[in-house]
Amino acid sequence: MNRYFLLPLAMLAILCTPTKAQSITGKISGQIRDPQNRALPGATVILQERQDSTVKKVSLSDTDGAFEVKNLPKGDYVLSCSYVGFQAYKSGLLTITETQTALRLPVIVLQASTPKTLNEVVVTAKKPLVEQKIDRLIVNVDAMLTAAGGNALDVLAKSPGVMVSTNDDISLNGKRNVLVLIDDRPTYMSAQDLAAYLRSLPGGLLDKVELISNPPARYDAAGGAIINIVLKKNRAAGFNGSLNLGYNQGRYGRSNNALLLNYRTKKFNIFTNSSFSRDRNFSEETYSRYFFTDAGLPQSTILQTSQSNYTSNGWNGRIGMDYVASPKTTIGILFTSSTRPKSDRLDYTSNQYTGLMQLDSVSKGYTDGHYQSRNTGLNLNLSHKFDSTGKLLMANVDYLTFQTNTNQFSPIDTYRPDGQLANTQERLFIIPSTVRIYAGKLDYTQPLAGKAEFSAGLKSSYVMTDTESNWFNQTGDGSVPDYGKSNHFQYTEAINAAYVNLKKEWSRWAIQTGLRLENTQSTGHQLANPATVDSTFHRSYTWQFPSLYLSYKLDKRGDNTLVLSYSKRIRRPGYQQLNPFLFFQDRYSYSGGNPNLIPGYGQSIDLRYTYKHYLGVTLAYSWDKNGINPITKAVGDQFITRPQNFYQGHSLGIIPNVSFSPTSWWTVNISAVLLAIRNQGNAAGVTIDQQSNLHEVETMNQFQLGKTWSAELTGFFPGSQFFAQTKSSSIYNISAGLQKTILQRQGTLRLTVNDIFYTLVMHSQTVALNQISAFYTRQSDTRRVGLSFMYRFGKEANARKRNTVGSAEDEKMRTN
């Protein structure tokens, strides 16, 4: 235990040691005005490297028209400025040297444009699809044409290294149990609920996606990795916003629409976004299950076909305000709300055969389901700068509620081989659930001498869940409770955390090390009913989570960089995974929870080489203990799936990402995940010891077809997957998009085609079942044609935003 505390103490001694080998950090500043000497706030400032015209910085002028571009290495630069209604400005050569580290430019006066000139002079800075940072990979969503008109889950599925499985589990670079954040705040949802929420979130609301394989200490230790979805915000002065409309058609139509509004003055910033989505899909599935005797002879067979479809409407709203109480203090409030009513219908036919493949019985049933989900959240935040050196305190308080109501009616008719009705069973399921979350967080940052920085923080969260699973058998006398399968489960969890983080830069070396300490207290309570006794469990544990980043520039400019990173993470059970209730799927399939689950943990170490933003290659190794995975067992002819602390795993992988331009109008981005995996597991009578290779390749080709036309062609090629009890075959997906800018570049039209060849058909096998072979196929509405329109109004800008990180950061993907 003490060895983890020695690491940051040793680093603190190193960081406070003076050094002469400091890198050059220059800055370029100035002021932008019109011919009447009036300030031009929100003007776009672009700084490019002279050598290859790479965009180094994109900034905005403040309310006084001033700008400052900092942290510039030695080199030659060219600066350009643009403002709506004015002619663009381009500077001469600007040079940062050892003796000239600060350049103060004369006042830049932009001349008014005539209408004709405005149409002809266009200055744009196109963001690349992928940006590589020291601790994360950033995907700029606006640069992904085929995401237009879709939803946030579509965007994730197209992001490098991200996989979304058939049961909506999200993984990053082969790491499962990913913590998904929205604007640095957790979503606190199960994998299935999170997927439903992301489907209701239009892709037009997303600004970027941050992929963090080894998160630093300031982040909660939950999850194998972190994906942070950053929503669009416009902080330019005055009133501005954007409208996003999207529709796509497959067998069914879907729509994704969003409106973003922002109004900013010197003292107030008021912002809001609202969205509506309509999601409709179908699924056609087949199950084939073969049962054998101890001697290996056929005993029975179940063949099932099912057709399902659902319709879901999603409303999402956010409204917030920042108040600048003083030049050093800003106070903010943010309110979020969403609702997702959904209805679905599943029809299935199951044929059961004898060992000689003679028909034994036929079951026909359906499930008619209606669901209501309402989520609300309130965040209060404060940011205080103590002085001009960068000493900063940030505070956040969060309150969130999640309420769901499920109502399902499931009749089943069983027939003899001659077609005569043998049995009828009707069931009704009513499942209300409530989750309440309280969280508070403090983060402090203290710059130190010699380009060093110390940060520390505290966080506390308290979660209460209350879920009822009520089963009823329908009879001629009405609904009769089935207390043997009904359940009422309550769960509380308190997590208290503290962290310290230290970082320092030299001319070529940089280091960042941190330690996070988390204490967890949890209690589960299954309430008694006439058939179930009252029972409780309590768990208490304290774990330490170290993290480390070490980087080295192989050349003076830092074009070639090596980064070594390490982190330890915890995998806590989802709130409802601890609930032992059974959930009905069909005549032969059930799922449930497991109150005996304990947290698992994982460690990973990566070595990454990058060349500018063109190339990145990562050598990754990770190992997991007590990993939680759903395990399927056969009870008679029924499959029952429950989570278990099942696997111990090791993986070694190479993860390359490359971007290049064969021509001036063609840009290629290729990413891949190549893993060698060893998984061992033993739980609930199921044993595995498997070695497998996993690969996934994604390609994106972007074409500039003139000043206002562009196109995109993407390919997604995941190979066969083998993990725990699931073995799936390889698939692929080819998609394309076409874009046209209109209305003086304030409007954008996009036409997209996803899964052109309709190849996203899933084939999988469930293995490690005693004397049973089980196969599954599924296809859905993946081939779609879409049209979207985006219009920006007001002053367009990408101003820097105050980094408000919500205090709820641990319980995401755990409310189911």
Side-chain angles (χ1 to χ4, degrees), residues 381-412:
N381 56 80
L382 178 144
S383 174
H384 178 72
K385 299 177 182 178
F386 291 91
D387 50 38
S388 60
T389 64
K391 190 186 300 184
L392 176 68
L393 177 68
M394 298 182 65
N396 279 268
V397 177
D398 285 277
Y399 171 66
L400 303 98
T401 63
F402 300 84
Q403 292 182 311
T404 59
N405 287 283
T406 298
N407 191 310
Q408 293 177 316
F409 178 59
S410 297
I412 304 172

Short mmCIF file of all heavy atoms in Angstrom, two decimals, residues 381-412:
data_model
loop_
_atom_site.label_atom_id
_atom_site.label_comp_id
_atom_site.label_asym_id
_atom_site.label_seq_id
_atom_site.Cartn_x
_atom_site.Cartn_y
_atom_site.Cartn_z
N ASN A 381 -22.26 24.65 -10.41
CA ASN A 381 -20.81 24.63 -10.51
C ASN A 381 -20.23 26.01 -10.27
O ASN A 381 -20.90 27.04 -10.48
CB ASN A 381 -20.37 24.09 -11.88
CG ASN A 381 -20.97 24.85 -13.03
OD1 ASN A 381 -20.50 25.93 -13.38
ND2 ASN A 381 -22.04 24.31 -13.64
N LEU A 382 -18.97 26.01 -9.84
CA LEU A 382 -18.25 27.26 -9.55
C LEU A 382 -16.82 27.10 -10.00
O LEU A 382 -16.20 26.05 -9.80
CB LEU A 382 -18.32 27.58 -8.06
CG LEU A 382 -17.57 28.84 -7.59
CD1 LEU A 382 -18.34 29.53 -6.48
CD2 LEU A 382 -16.16 28.49 -7.09
N SER A 383 -16.29 28.15 -10.60
CA SER A 383 -14.88 28.19 -11.01
C SER A 383 -14.27 29.48 -10.48
O SER A 383 -14.81 30.57 -10.72
CB SER A 383 -14.77 28.13 -12.53
OG SER A 383 -13.44 28.31 -12.94
N HIS A 384 -13.16 29.36 -9.76
CA HIS A 384 -12.51 30.54 -9.18
C HIS A 384 -11.02 30.50 -9.48
O HIS A 384 -10.32 29.53 -9.16
CB HIS A 384 -12.71 30.59 -7.67
CG HIS A 384 -12.01 31.76 -7.02
ND1 HIS A 384 -12.45 33.06 -7.16
CD2 HIS A 384 -10.89 31.82 -6.24
CE1 HIS A 384 -11.65 33.87 -6.50
NE2 HIS A 384 -10.69 33.14 -5.94
N LYS A 385 -10.51 31.58 -10.13
CA LYS A 385 -9.09 31.76 -10.39
C LYS A 385 -8.51 32.64 -9.29
O LYS A 385 -8.95 33.77 -9.08
CB LYS A 385 -8.87 32.41 -11.75
CG LYS A 385 -9.41 31.60 -12.92
CD LYS A 385 -9.23 32.35 -14.23
CE LYS A 385 -9.80 31.57 -15.38
NZ LYS A 385 -9.67 32.31 -16.68
N PHE A 386 -7.51 32.12 -8.59
CA PHE A 386 -6.94 32.87 -7.48
C PHE A 386 -6.04 34.00 -7.96
O PHE A 386 -5.98 35.06 -7.34
CB PHE A 386 -6.14 31.93 -6.57
CG PHE A 386 -7.00 30.96 -5.82
CD1 PHE A 386 -7.29 29.72 -6.36
CD2 PHE A 386 -7.54 31.29 -4.58
CE1 PHE A 386 -8.08 28.82 -5.66
CE2 PHE A 386 -8.34 30.41 -3.89
CZ PHE A 386 -8.62 29.16 -4.43
N ASP A 387 -5.34 33.77 -9.08
CA ASP A 387 -4.44 34.80 -9.59
C ASP A 387 -4.18 34.51 -11.06
O ASP A 387 -4.78 33.62 -11.67
CB ASP A 387 -3.11 34.82 -8.79
CG ASP A 387 -2.49 33.43 -8.66
OD1 ASP A 387 -2.56 32.66 -9.64
OD2 ASP A 387 -1.94 33.11 -7.59
N SER A 388 -3.26 35.25 -11.65
CA SER A 388 -2.97 35.10 -13.08
C SER A 388 -2.05 33.93 -13.39
O SER A 388 -1.79 33.64 -14.55
CB SER A 388 -2.35 36.40 -13.61
OG SER A 388 -1.13 36.68 -12.93
N THR A 389 -1.53 33.24 -12.36
CA THR A 389 -0.59 32.15 -12.61
C THR A 389 -1.30 30.87 -13.04
O THR A 389 -0.65 29.92 -13.46
CB THR A 389 0.24 31.86 -11.36
OG1 THR A 389 -0.62 31.41 -10.31
CG2 THR A 389 0.98 33.11 -10.91
N GLY A 390 -2.63 30.80 -12.88
CA GLY A 390 -3.37 29.60 -13.25
C GLY A 390 -3.84 28.80 -12.06
O GLY A 390 -4.39 27.70 -12.23
N LYS A 391 -3.71 29.33 -10.84
CA LYS A 391 -4.21 28.64 -9.66
C LYS A 391 -5.74 28.65 -9.71
O LYS A 391 -6.36 29.70 -9.79
CB LYS A 391 -3.71 29.33 -8.40
CG LYS A 391 -3.97 28.55 -7.11
CD LYS A 391 -3.59 29.36 -5.89
CE LYS A 391 -2.11 29.74 -5.90
NZ LYS A 391 -1.75 30.46 -4.64
N LEU A 392 -6.35 27.45 -9.68
CA LEU A 392 -7.77 27.34 -10.00
C LEU A 392 -8.46 26.37 -9.05
O LEU A 392 -7.93 25.31 -8.73
CB LEU A 392 -7.94 26.85 -11.45
CG LEU A 392 -9.36 26.58 -11.95
CD1 LEU A 392 -10.15 27.88 -12.06
CD2 LEU A 392 -9.31 25.88 -13.31
N LEU A 393 -9.68 26.74 -8.63
CA LEU A 393 -10.54 25.86 -7.85
C LEU A 393 -11.86 25.70 -8.58
O LEU A 393 -12.48 26.68 -9.00
CB LEU A 393 -10.79 26.45 -6.45
CG LEU A 393 -11.75 25.64 -5.56
CD1 LEU A 393 -11.13 24.30 -5.17
CD2 LEU A 393 -12.14 26.44 -4.32
N MET A 394 -12.30 24.45 -8.73
CA MET A 394 -13.57 24.16 -9.37
C MET A 394 -14.40 23.29 -8.44
O MET A 394 -13.90 22.35 -7.84
CB MET A 394 -13.37 23.47 -10.72
CG MET A 394 -12.60 24.30 -11.72
SD MET A 394 -12.42 23.47 -13.32
CE MET A 394 -14.12 23.41 -13.85
N ALA A 395 -15.70 23.60 -8.34
CA ALA A 395 -16.61 22.85 -7.48
C ALA A 395 -17.86 22.48 -8.28
O ALA A 395 -18.35 23.27 -9.09
CB ALA A 395 -16.98 23.67 -6.25
N ASN A 396 -18.39 21.28 -8.03
CA ASN A 396 -19.59 20.80 -8.70
C ASN A 396 -20.46 20.05 -7.71
O ASN A 396 -19.97 19.29 -6.88
CB ASN A 396 -19.24 19.85 -9.84
CG ASN A 396 -18.84 20.57 -11.11
OD1 ASN A 396 -19.66 20.84 -11.96
ND2 ASN A 396 -17.55 20.89 -11.22
N VAL A 397 -21.77 20.25 -7.84
CA VAL A 397 -22.76 19.49 -7.09
C VAL A 397 -23.79 19.00 -8.08
O VAL A 397 -24.28 19.78 -8.92
CB VAL A 397 -23.43 20.33 -5.98
CG1 VAL A 397 -24.50 19.52 -5.27
CG2 VAL A 397 -22.40 20.82 -4.98
N ASP A 398 -24.14 17.70 -8.00
CA ASP A 398 -25.08 17.11 -8.94
C ASP A 398 -26.19 16.38 -8.21
O ASP A 398 -25.96 15.74 -7.16
CB ASP A 398 -24.38 16.10 -9.86
CG ASP A 398 -23.53 16.76 -10.92
OD1 ASP A 398 -24.08 17.16 -11.94
OD2 ASP A 398 -22.30 16.89 -10.70
N TYR A 399 -27.39 16.46 -8.80
CA TYR A 399 -28.52 15.63 -8.35
C TYR A 399 -29.18 15.07 -9.60
O TYR A 399 -29.53 15.83 -10.52
CB TYR A 399 -29.53 16.44 -7.54
CG TYR A 399 -30.80 15.67 -7.26
CD1 TYR A 399 -30.79 14.55 -6.43
CD2 TYR A 399 -32.02 16.06 -7.83
CE1 TYR A 399 -31.94 13.83 -6.18
CE2 TYR A 399 -33.18 15.35 -7.58
CZ TYR A 399 -33.14 14.23 -6.75
OH TYR A 399 -34.28 13.53 -6.52
N LEU A 400 -29.33 13.76 -9.66
CA LEU A 400 -29.90 13.11 -10.84
C LEU A 400 -30.95 12.09 -10.42
O LEU A 400 -30.80 11.42 -9.39
CB LEU A 400 -28.82 12.41 -11.67
CG LEU A 400 -27.65 13.24 -12.16
CD1 LEU A 400 -26.45 13.08 -11.23
CD2 LEU A 400 -27.25 12.84 -13.57
N THR A 401 -31.99 11.96 -11.23
CA THR A 401 -33.01 10.93 -11.01
C THR A 401 -33.26 10.20 -12.33
O THR A 401 -33.25 10.81 -13.40
CB THR A 401 -34.33 11.53 -10.50
OG1 THR A 401 -34.87 12.41 -11.50
CG2 THR A 401 -34.12 12.29 -9.21
N PHE A 402 -33.50 8.90 -12.22
CA PHE A 402 -33.84 8.05 -13.36
C PHE A 402 -35.07 7.24 -12.97
O PHE A 402 -35.02 6.48 -12.00
CB PHE A 402 -32.68 7.12 -13.72
CG PHE A 402 -31.41 7.81 -14.09
CD1 PHE A 402 -30.52 8.23 -13.12
CD2 PHE A 402 -31.10 8.05 -15.41
CE1 PHE A 402 -29.34 8.87 -13.46
CE2 PHE A 402 -29.92 8.70 -15.77
CZ PHE A 402 -29.05 9.11 -14.79
N GLN A 403 -36.12 7.41 -13.72
CA GLN A 403 -37.34 6.67 -13.44
C GLN A 403 -37.77 5.92 -14.70
O GLN A 403 -37.86 6.51 -15.78
CB GLN A 403 -38.46 7.62 -13.01
CG GLN A 403 -38.22 8.26 -11.65
CD GLN A 403 -39.37 9.14 -11.22
OE1 GLN A 403 -39.83 9.98 -11.99
NE2 GLN A 403 -39.84 8.96 -10.00
N THR A 404 -38.02 4.62 -14.54
CA THR A 404 -38.49 3.80 -15.66
C THR A 404 -39.69 2.98 -15.21
O THR A 404 -39.78 2.57 -14.05
CB THR A 404 -37.38 2.85 -16.16
OG1 THR A 404 -36.97 1.99 -15.10
CG2 THR A 404 -36.19 3.63 -16.67
N ASN A 405 -40.59 2.75 -16.15
CA ASN A 405 -41.75 1.90 -15.91
C ASN A 405 -41.90 0.96 -17.10
O ASN A 405 -41.97 1.41 -18.25
CB ASN A 405 -43.02 2.73 -15.73
CG ASN A 405 -43.06 3.45 -14.39
OD1 ASN A 405 -43.33 2.84 -13.36
ND2 ASN A 405 -42.76 4.74 -14.40
N THR A 406 -41.94 -0.33 -16.82
CA THR A 406 -42.08 -1.36 -17.85
C THR A 406 -43.37 -2.12 -17.64
O THR A 406 -43.68 -2.54 -16.51
CB THR A 406 -40.88 -2.33 -17.80
OG1 THR A 406 -39.68 -1.62 -18.06
CG2 THR A 406 -41.05 -3.44 -18.82
N ASN A 407 -44.11 -2.31 -18.72
CA ASN A 407 -45.35 -3.07 -18.69
C ASN A 407 -45.37 -4.01 -19.88
O ASN A 407 -45.39 -3.55 -21.03
CB ASN A 407 -46.56 -2.12 -18.71
CG ASN A 407 -47.86 -2.83 -18.41
OD1 ASN A 407 -48.17 -3.86 -19.00
ND2 ASN A 407 -48.64 -2.28 -17.49
N GLN A 408 -45.35 -5.33 -19.63
CA GLN A 408 -45.29 -6.31 -20.71
C GLN A 408 -46.38 -7.38 -20.51
O GLN A 408 -46.60 -7.86 -19.39
CB GLN A 408 -43.93 -7.01 -20.75
CG GLN A 408 -42.76 -6.11 -21.13
CD GLN A 408 -41.45 -6.85 -21.08
OE1 GLN A 408 -41.17 -7.59 -20.14
NE2 GLN A 408 -40.64 -6.66 -22.10
N PHE A 409 -47.00 -7.73 -21.62
CA PHE A 409 -47.99 -8.80 -21.62
C PHE A 409 -47.49 -9.90 -22.56
O PHE A 409 -47.16 -9.63 -23.72
CB PHE A 409 -49.35 -8.29 -22.08
CG PHE A 409 -50.41 -9.35 -22.15
CD1 PHE A 409 -50.76 -10.07 -21.02
CD2 PHE A 409 -51.05 -9.64 -23.35
CE1 PHE A 409 -51.75 -11.05 -21.07
CE2 PHE A 409 -52.03 -10.62 -23.42
CZ PHE A 409 -52.38 -11.33 -22.27
N SER A 410 -47.38 -11.17 -22.04
CA SER A 410 -46.74 -12.24 -22.80
C SER A 410 -47.58 -13.52 -22.74
O SER A 410 -47.40 -14.34 -21.83
CB SER A 410 -45.34 -12.52 -22.26
OG SER A 410 -44.50 -11.39 -22.39
N PRO A 411 -48.49 -13.74 -23.70
CA PRO A 411 -49.20 -15.02 -23.78
C PRO A 411 -48.43 -16.04 -24.60
O PRO A 411 -47.70 -15.69 -25.53
CB PRO A 411 -50.52 -14.64 -24.47
CG PRO A 411 -50.15 -13.47 -25.31
CD PRO A 411 -49.04 -12.74 -24.61
N ILE A 412 -48.55 -17.32 -24.26
CA ILE A 412 -47.90 -18.41 -24.97
C ILE A 412 -48.93 -19.54 -25.17
O ILE A 412 -49.59 -19.96 -24.21
CB ILE A 412 -46.70 -18.98 -24.19
CG1 ILE A 412 -45.68 -17.88 -23.86
CG2 ILE A 412 -46.02 -20.08 -25.00
CD1 ILE A 412 -44.58 -18.35 -22.94
#
